[in-house]
């Protein structure tokens, strides 16, 4: 099942050229771009691992792409997203966030039903991938 | 359907881009506006004949390369990394700034910013500090020009565990793999740069343009002084001018002479003396001309004359 999180996620995966163009748009607006990765695709998992610090004071998207390719070399089979932060209000706030990399196989989510008091049922979603320990969720080792 | 050098040639035809067959070189030249930059270079930089010739050559090559690309004659992106060698104060940094704007006008760098760094900004203090530091600078310079002043400090032959080597390796790798994203200009004094290239042969071969900045002749230094004074709204009186000609001759024989930089410092000291001279007599009315003029005593009070035999 294809995970759809962030902007553009219902489109086909962005090519590097398209990613560059988006990043350049962000830099043009004066936003700092940050790369994050995770292997827990649950939609409520908002805190992803950071790949280095957010990149401030860049002028050209090539620098961000360089970091993205480094990150792909190490975490090529994980989810990688880019977030652009706008600091003009006086604090950093996310203006744009989109996936730039996803694992080859995305096993999807199962729906768990918990039977609670009375005949009530509580539902929860769980990623099949997270059944395995962190680091080897999408194969490897 | 044939496409001539009409304005529409810039935009691809509806049926896909057709390689154009003829271009009007002059229009092409005017369009990118490098003529203006080159003229400005001629006007504002005195002397430096070999440097200007080389820059003109590079600019012409890039212009032709640009046209070739539009004609569909594919060729590799030319290597644009440069090294500027020359004595102190011969205008290396100034020229680097101009080069950036030429490259930007021709579309060989996308943004045209110049990131000027020295060893401190590239090399870290402890293990694992250098790579992120160098990469951060490289990222900032992407799409523009990275100017490394006194590049030979990157390599410290006396200390084999120096982190400079790590920075050099990252630089070399990016210079090779991201040639279209970044232009690196190394600058430094001639003899030390030669040693630096000698111990890092990888650098020498990755740099296409080695440009040597000659020292200025006496009359060029005088012209530079007058240009600087003009910018600061000062001028020499006739006597001061004659004294300054002697000053240049004497100063050149003394140690630590650094061309245009020495001239600028000398002018700054003359401005001090002139201000002091004017303030010494408070009971007078000054004209604009007096405030602008440097007189012979302002020049002659220099240490350079008293030390002279």
């Amino acid at each position: 099942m294809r995970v759809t999180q962030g902007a553009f996620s219902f489109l086909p995966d962005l090519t590097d050229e398209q990613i560059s163009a988006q990043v350049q748009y962000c830099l043009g607006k004066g936003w700092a771009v940050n790369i994050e990765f995770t292997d827990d695709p649950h939609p409520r998992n908002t805190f992803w691992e950071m790949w280095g610090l957010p990149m401030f004071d860049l002028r050209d998207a090539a620098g961000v792409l360089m970091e993205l390719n480094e990150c792909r070399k190490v975490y090529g089979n994980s989810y990688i997203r880019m977030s652009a932060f706008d600091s003009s209000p006086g604090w950093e706030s996310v203006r744009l966030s989109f996936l730039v990399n996803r694992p080859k196989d995305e096993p999807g989510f199962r729906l768990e039903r918990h039977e609670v008091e009375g005949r009530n049922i509580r539902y929860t979603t769980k990623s099949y991938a997270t059944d395995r320990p962190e680091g080897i969720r999408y194969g490897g080792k | 359907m044939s496409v001539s050098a009409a304005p529409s040639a810039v935009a691809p035809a509806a049926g896909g881009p057709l390689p154009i067959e003829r271009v009007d070189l002059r229009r092409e030249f005017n369009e990118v506006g490098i003529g203006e930059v080159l003229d400005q270079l001629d006007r504002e930089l005195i002397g430096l004949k070999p440097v200007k010739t080389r820059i003109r050559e590079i600019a012409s090559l890039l212009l032709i390369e640009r046209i070739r690309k539009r004609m569909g004659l594919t060729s590799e992106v030319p290597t644009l990394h440069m090294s500027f060698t020359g004595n102190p104060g011969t205008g290396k940094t100034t020229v680097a700034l101009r080069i950036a704007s030429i490259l930007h006008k021709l579309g060989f760098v996308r943004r045209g910013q110049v990131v000027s760094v020295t060893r401190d900004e590239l090399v870290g203090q402890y293990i694992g500090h250098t790579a992120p530091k160098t990469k951060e600078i490289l990222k900032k310079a992407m799409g523009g020009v990275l100017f490394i002043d006194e590049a030979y400090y990157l390599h410290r032959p006396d200390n084999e565990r120096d982190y400079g080597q790590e920075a050099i390796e990252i630089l070399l790798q990016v210079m090779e793999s991201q040639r279209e994203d970044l232009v690196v200009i190394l600058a430094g004094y001639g003899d030390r740069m030669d040693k630096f290239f000698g111990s890092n042969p990888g650098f020498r071969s990755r740099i296409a343009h080695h440009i040597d900045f000659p020292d200025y002749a006496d009359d060029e230094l005088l012209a530079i002084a007058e240009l600087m004074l003009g910018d600061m709204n000062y001028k020499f009186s006739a006597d001061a001018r004659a004294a300054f000609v002697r000053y240049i001759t004497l100063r050149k024989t003394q140690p630590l002479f650094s061309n245009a930089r020495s001239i600028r410092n000398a002018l700054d000291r003359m401005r001090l003396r002139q201000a002091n001279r004017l303030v010494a007599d408070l009971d007078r009315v000054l004209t604009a001309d007096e405030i602008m003029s440097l007189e012979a005593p302002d020049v002659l009070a220099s240490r350079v004359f008293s030390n002279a035999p």
Side-chain angles (χ1 to χ4, degrees), chain A residues 14-32:
Chain A
L14 300 184
T15 62
D16 276 10
E17 208 178 320
Q18 291 164 331
I19 294 171
S20 273
Q22 292 298 338
V23 170
Q24 196 57 53
Y25 170 81
C26 297
L27 296 179
K29 294 265 180 186
W31 302 340

Side-chain angles (χ1 to χ4, degrees), chain B residues 78-95:
Chain B
T79 310
L80 291 170
H81 304 310
M82 302 176 202
S83 102
F84 292 172
T85 51
N87 285 329
T90 43
K92 299 184 287 289
T93 317
T94 318
V95 171

Side-chain angles (χ1 to χ4, degrees), chain B residues 228-249:
Chain B
M228 284 177 180
L229 284 181
D231 286 344
M232 298 187 288
N233 287 317
Y234 277 92
K235 61 180 196 213
F236 280 132
S237 69
D239 291 348
R241 196 166 184 275
F244 197 72
V245 171
R246 272 174 55 217
Y247 174 90
I248 292 172
T249 329

